[in-house]
Amino acid sequence: MDLKEIAEKIDLHQQNGMKMGKITNDYPELTVEEAYEIQRLTIQKNIERNDPLIGWKMGLTSKAKQISMNVEEPIYGRLTESMELNEPVLHVKNLIHPKVEPEFAFFINKELKGSNVKPRDVWAAAEGVYLALEVIDSRYENFKFTLPDVVADNASSTKFVLGTQVFSPAYTPWDKVKVTMLKNGEKVQSGYGNAVLNHPVHSVVELTKMINRDNLTIKPGMLVLVGGITEAVSVRAGDMLNVDYEGLDSLDLEVKE
Ligand code: OOG
Ligand code: MG
């Protein structure tokens, strides 16, 4: 099994919004560790194309998601600059079967590392929290995959958009924030911040520990998307999403061709 060759194949499919068969169809013995190495090699190609690493995302941090995807642990992926939408408009032309989910993004401005990191270390390092929408788009048919498959495909990362307003990490009990998502005026999902590992701060703790296994750290200036607060919602051109974060603000996303 040539991990570099697999990374090249995934990169091609990610860049062109093309579906592919599961990697584990060809390599049933693929481990999660090897899959993270494939992810690293894939994102290395973006970095070489002047699309730098700007942060991390956690995925499958909610029990509902773990059950719906039939996995039992969270995963992480890498965020590069080109994934960030600079306005709340999503173009779906080069995407396969995009879904959108409400999240929080922690802006970290002090290095976080090690296997002993605690919530208070995260609070000391977090300069702000943004309301965020993540667009996921698995390269696998029907969004069906095993844990190594989804890890290799960068945890389905595709795009994300942040709200304009930054919030202080203090004051707001992030686990109690109620989030309601409307699609074309109708309520499609709702949930609370505690869907993310009981409290979103635990997601950043967990990420720090997971990347520490490969001697990686969360660098100052990086963003961390903590994981979906509700199930992800499928979108297509013409859709309009309005996501309300009770007591804070709301985010809109217009979906276009
Ligand atoms: C994996 C990515 C999940 C989240 O926030 O849980 C994710 C997938 O479901 O395709 O981003
Ligand atoms: Mg997500």
Side-chain angles (χ1 to χ4, degrees), residues 90-193:
L90 173 70
H91 289 276
V92 291
K93 208 166 48 205
N94 286 319
L95 307 182
I96 305 164
H97 37 207
K99 296 184 186 182
V100 178
E101 50 192 18
E103 301 216 4
F104 297 120
F106 279 49
F107 179 69
I108 302 299
N109 223 357
K110 200 174 138 220
E111 188 176 40
L112 278 171
K113 61 178 176 191
S115 59
N116 276 325
V117 64
K118 295 178 178 61
R120 62 184 167 83
D121 300 316
V122 174
W123 294 129
E127 197 169 279
V129 177
Y130 289 87
L131 312 182
L133 298 178
E134 188 188 17
V135 181
I136 53 174
D137 192 24
S138 175
R139 265 51 65 166
Y140 303 114
E141 276 149 31
N142 304 318
F143 252 94
K144 286 270 183 306
F145 41 68
T146 66
L147 197 57
D149 288 310
V150 64
V151 166
D153 184 28
N154 198 25
S156 310
S157 304
T158 300
K159 299 283 177 194
F160 68 93
V161 63
L162 302 184
T164 316
Q165 178 66 46
V166 66
F167 292 88
S168 164
Y171 308 119
T172 301
W174 296 100
D175 58 331
K176 296 190 178 68
V177 175
K178 184 179 183 190
V179 181
T180 307
M181 173 149 45
L182 304 187
K183 182 166 100 172
N184 305 326
E186 278 184 41
K187 180 173 158 182
V188 282
Q189 287 290 334
S190 67
Y192 289 88

